[in-house]
Each structure stands twice: as structure tokens, then as C-alpha cells.
Amino acid sequence: MPPAHPFDDDKLREECGIFGVVGVQDASTFVALGLHALQHRGQEAGGIVSHDPDHGFNQARRFGYVRDNFTSQKIMETLPGPIAIGHVRYSTSGSKGQTAIRDVQPFFGEFSMGGAAIAHNGNITNANALRRELIERGSIFQSSSDSECIIHLMARSMGRSIPDRMEEALRKVEGAFSVVAMTRTKLIGVRDPLGVRPLVLGKIGDGWALSSETCALDIIGAEFVREIRPGEMVVINGSGVQSHFPFRPQPSRFCIFEHVYFSRPDSILGGRSVYETRENIGRELAKESPVDADLVCPVPDSGTPAAIGYSLQSGIPYAMGIIRNQYMGRTFIEPTEQIRNMGVRLKLNVNRALIKDKRVILVDDSVVRGTTSRKIKEMILDAGAREVHFRIASPPTAWPCFYGVDTPQREKLLAATMSEDEMCRHLAVDSLKFISLDGLYRAVGEAQGRNAECPQYCDACFSGEYPVEPADMLEQGFEMKPAAE
């Protein structure tokens, strides 16, 4: 797999998108379209498994974009049948940057009652302990992925059906998971008890679809029915959708960063438009951190809705001061030292005629390492801007995520080692302000802000308060935030 670009590691990255369809002809084609709409959730590799009564289970796994692989008639003809599931990935678990094809999901297993395939979005926080136990009992792992633990746990279960075995397996799993799975005739969807990662249900003709986001339902012409609820398992076959709740009920802790960055702006989360939520974040940011300036400019593309909100609230004109090269993929060019020095200019270019002699507010979704922010600031100043003010549409990212997001080690997060003022000096900008945690909660619809006693969302990357103890990381020496801090 060609290496990622040197400036791609300055964003938090969702690691997976999952999609499944049952009850339609050529289901794999619908899955390929759904995965294309979910490409922002994982661009390293993708896979599809289908089942046809005449040909049994078939699978295809490939590195690269969906459009470069699953638009091939030759490949799609090998995936016949009325039921299929698929997966796109970044590597948050397993050998990051050195992914083997065996790490690419969906994973398939043959059980006494028939075959099953599984695609997982999230991260299992006790995967190392589970893997050790399973290997000691004779399991032979084929991949470095935490998700493979689920298949082996299912194999050891005494459940009488695939859904029963999956239910038993997932009770032993800690962390965050949304799962789409399939048997010969059933499509299965499950969310963890906290509902950290998203999963939605759609209807297409006489068939059904499961997806990480509603935008992927739109692309296949499916009707959004509802979100799969935290702790819910749905089993879908010719008789319809059967639902039950196999886990102990807990207060929901959906990932708040889905609203900030991960999900596509045309998706619906929790009954709210992601675009409108991000615009609200910009409005809250303008209320909390106003500044005199001539232009509000987004860092494209993820900063755009928040920049529009900031402009509308502040009355400062919105402008596209930075233009993104839409055609630069991650495999555009080998990142030699010379290319590394060119850095972000390969991806973004400043609209000089607009920026010259202006006081500019740059709105971005987050600051992770700060490397990209510094380069963008330099580009804006080189174009003749008088002042550069950063406004960030999320609180400072000071803690790593262990629930399915590719996050640097804590010491590499800028906010883990610097105060806001220190970050401002480090980036050498005229001002730097982040939205407050309460402001973010207000923007996503919590009028009273964050409930400190029982937070409404998972915000561990900002607060350091982890709703599920990251057992594997603690074993490796990770230090949790002191309770009194």
C-alpha cells in the first residue's frame, strides 16, 4: 500500500464504514455504491462479501478506493446474490500503514450451522486479552485486526444460531462497536450498549439496508427508517426486521466528534442534520470568541459549515480564501523529502487576490499536531494577509481515542502539552480560540451544555473521561486522567 501523505496525519481519522443489503437483486452492487458514499470513513482498503444460493459465499478485498475496484464488472460478477455486506477501512487496529490483504474486512467464518461474514466499525479495548485467551485455547488468527476476535468468539460459542453466537461473542467484547453481519439469508446489525459508533436502518423496495450513515442510503435510493439504538441487535430476513436488546442498558454516549468532523455533512445524526449542527458550532464559536476581521475563511472542506455559521453570526463576510485541489488522492506521488517540504501546498492553495491586505479568520474543525495549521498560516501570510486568527470548531484535542479513531499518542497531541496561549504562540498566529465543551454541546442540541455528572456524549478526546476503560492500553502503560483533575 503506498504511504499516506505527510500532512494527512494531522487530522483525526475515522477508521471504518460499514454497509449491508438484503432482499435486492445484485446486492453487492448496492453495497459498492454505499461504500463509495462512505469512502470518507476509510480510504485504505475495502471489501465485499455476498451470498447466492447457487454459488454460496463469495468475497473480494482490495486496497485503494471503492471507485478503483468495485466499479469493475469483472469483480462485481464474482459477487452475485440477494444479500451482501461491505467495509471500508483505515487501520486503527492491526499493523498501521503496513496492512496486509488478510486484515481487510469483512471477515468470514464457516460454522456448524453455515457460514457468516462480519464487518466491524469501532475498536475493541480488550482485544489483546481476548486474543491471548483464544490463542491459548487453540484459535488460529489470520489477521492483526481486533475485529477477528469476534469471529473466534462466535466459533467457540454453543449458541444454536449465528445471531445467538454473535450475541454471546459481543457480550465478551469491551469498547465500541457497530457491526453489520450476514448469514446465507439474514442481515444482522448490532450497536454497543453505549452507542458510540453510528448505525442506521433503511428500506429499499422489498429489501433492507444497514449503514454507518444516512448519506449512503441516499445514494442507493433507500428510505431512512431509523437509527439502530444503543445496545440493539436487529436480524433481518424475508419476514422483516426482528429487534431485541441483548446487553445491559446504559446511558448513551455517542461520539460527539461524528458531529464535528467524521460524518458527511449531508448525513442525519440523532435526528439532526450534520451540516446544520456544524453551522451551529460556528455560530457558538462566534458568540464565544469574536474578533475584528475582514473575512471568515474555512480550511476546506471540513471547516466550511462552521465558517459559514461564524460569518452569519458575526456579520463578517464569508469567502473561499483557500482553494482545495479536489483531484489529489493519497497515492498522488511518493512523499520524498522534497515533496514533504512542499507539504500542504500540494493540497491547498491560497486565493491571493482575496486575501491580500485582509484580516483573516480561519475556521478549522480541529488542531491535532498543529503541523498543518502552521503551514496554512504561513501560506496566508505569504499571500499578504495583515492578520491571521484561528477559530477551531472543537475543543482542544488533548487525549487519544480508543474507540475506533486513528489518534496520535498523547504526547504528540499539541493540546496535551500546551495551553491555548502556548498553542497560539507555537502556531505564531494573532489569536487562537477553540469552542468550549459546553458550547459544543449547545451546538449539538443540549441547551444546558454538558452534564458533568453523566455526559450525554463520548467526548474522551477532549475531556479525558473514558466511558469504557481502555484495558489493553492501560496494560501498555497508558495513564488515565486523575479522577479529581
Side-chain angles (χ1 to χ4, degrees), residues 137-214:
R137 294 184 179 185
S139 294
I140 300 173
F141 279 75
Q142 302 295 318
S143 77
S144 63
S145 171
D146 61 338
S147 308
E148 192 182 349
C149 290
I150 300 171
I151 286 283
H152 289 286
L153 290 169
M154 289 171 63
R156 302 194 70 83
S157 166
M158 299 303 292
R160 300 180 62 181
S161 69
I162 296 293
D164 288 344
R165 290 190 172 208
M166 182 174 296
E167 185 178 315
E168 184 178 330
L170 291 175
R171 284 202 185 102
K172 298 177 181 177
V173 165
E174 298 171 6
F177 56 84
S178 283
V179 169
V180 169
M182 60 178 278
T183 68
R184 289 169 292 187
T185 58
K186 296 173 181 174
L187 182 66
I188 304 166
V190 195
R191 280 182 83 188
D192 69 79
L194 296 175
V196 177
R197 303 260 75 87
L199 190 63
V200 298
L201 175 69
K203 188 82 170 73
I204 175 164
D206 294 329
W208 297 88
L210 291 167
S211 174
S212 292
E213 294 184 40
T214 61

Side-chain angles (χ1 to χ4, degrees), residues 89-154:
R89 68 167 267 147
Y90 278 127
S91 53
T92 62
S93 177
S95 50
K96 294 184 185 178
Q98 302 174 3
T99 301
I101 198 68
R102 63 178 179 269
D103 293 322
V104 180
Q105 299 184 45
F107 291 134
F108 175 79
E110 194 73 58
F111 304 98
S112 59
M113 67 285 293
I118 183 170
H120 166 227
N121 173 209
N123 214 52
I124 299 172
T125 56
N126 64 333
N128 291 348
L130 288 173
R131 179 182 284 256
R132 282 197 303 269
E133 179 184 337
L134 286 162
I135 289 173
E136 286 171 3
R137 294 184 179 185
S139 294
I140 300 173
F141 279 75
Q142 302 295 318
S143 77
S144 63
S145 171
D146 61 338
S147 308
E148 192 182 349
C149 290
I150 300 171
I151 286 283
H152 289 286
L153 290 169
M154 289 171 63

